[in-house]
Amino acid sequence: MAQTLDDQLPRTRLMSFRDRVDAQIALLDWVCAEVRGNPALADGPILEVGLGNGRTYSHLLGRLPGRRVIVFDKDVKAHPMSRPAPEDFVRGQVRETVRDFADASGRKAVMIHSDIGDGTEATEADILTWIASVYASATAPGALVLCTQALDDPAFERLADPVPKYAARYGIYRRV
């Protein structure tokens, strides 16, 4: 097959962004279908950890109509059309607020979408020291977690990637 000019040029940050968005859509759709199709996951909150611009929050609302999606982040900077209601937003450091929410509410999440961090080595290394234990404390048995960081903990099993080309970007885990 002949190479195109695009194949000969270096990958750009814009191309990486496109790949991340494609991965988010494909994998969020797969996880949401699993949640919709599993009666054991019919009751319990959905957690969106890291609001950002609100695009994935909006996508979750559209894919899981009628479900409560609770957002955790340091601040609301999302587009006005993609902001959660005040009662569905928990402000603060995710490391504390996710665990505190589960402890205070007595309800465990049946799904978490987690897209946090800034991609720097130091931040990612810090997140890896606490993320698995925090998410384990906040999830019900059988809950699904779609996460940009690895959840290397016996509380989670990594599922086979439904879209293998995105395996390097996200992991899908089930709470055991």
Side-chain angles (χ1 to χ4, degrees), residues 7-173:
D7 295 331
Q8 298 169 30
L9 296 173
R11 288 190 50 77
T12 65
R13 289 187 65 228
L14 184 60
M15 296 164 88
S16 180
F17 174 75
R18 178 196 58 207
D19 292 348
R20 182 172 64 89
V21 171
D22 287 347
Q24 283 179 324
I25 293 169
L27 297 175
L28 279 169
D29 285 353
W30 185 87
V31 170
C32 288
E34 291 291 307
V35 168
R36 285 192 312 269
N38 185 338
L41 303 178
D43 186 38
I46 309 296
L47 307 186
E48 169 73 338
V49 182
L51 178 60
N53 192 277
R55 289 181 288 256
T56 56
Y57 170 71
S58 171
H59 197 75
L60 287 171
L61 292 177
R63 294 301 185 261
L64 297 167
R67 296 297 297 266
R68 184 170 186 207
V69 179
I70 302 165
V71 178
F72 296 79
D73 209 330
K74 291 180 279 192
D75 202 5
V76 176
K77 297 177 184 169
H79 187 280
M81 291 177 58
S82 301
R83 291 182 178 176
E87 64 272 16
D88 292 332
F89 181 75
V90 181
R91 183 184 313 272
Q93 294 295 324
V94 169
R95 173 187 229 151
E96 290 91 26
T97 58
V98 171
R99 187 186 317 257
D100 291 350
F101 172 80
D103 290 347
S105 71
R107 305 218 40 224
K108 301 292 185 178
V110 297
M111 179 187 155
I112 296 177
H113 171 249
S114 176
D115 186 358
I116 58 175
D118 60 13
T120 64
E121 237 179 89
T123 299
E124 296 302 314
D126 177 62
I127 291 170
L128 288 174
T129 66
W130 57 263
I131 192 168
S133 66
V134 168
Y135 288 2
S137 73
T139 50
L144 295 171
V145 180
L146 177 60
C147 191
T148 53
Q149 285 85 16
L151 298 180
D152 292 327
D153 187 284
F156 294 100
E157 67 173 320
R158 183 162 181 163
L159 303 181
D161 296 300
V163 187
K165 73 179 187 176
Y166 299 130
R169 292 205 163 266
Y170 282 92
I172 301 174
Y173 301 86

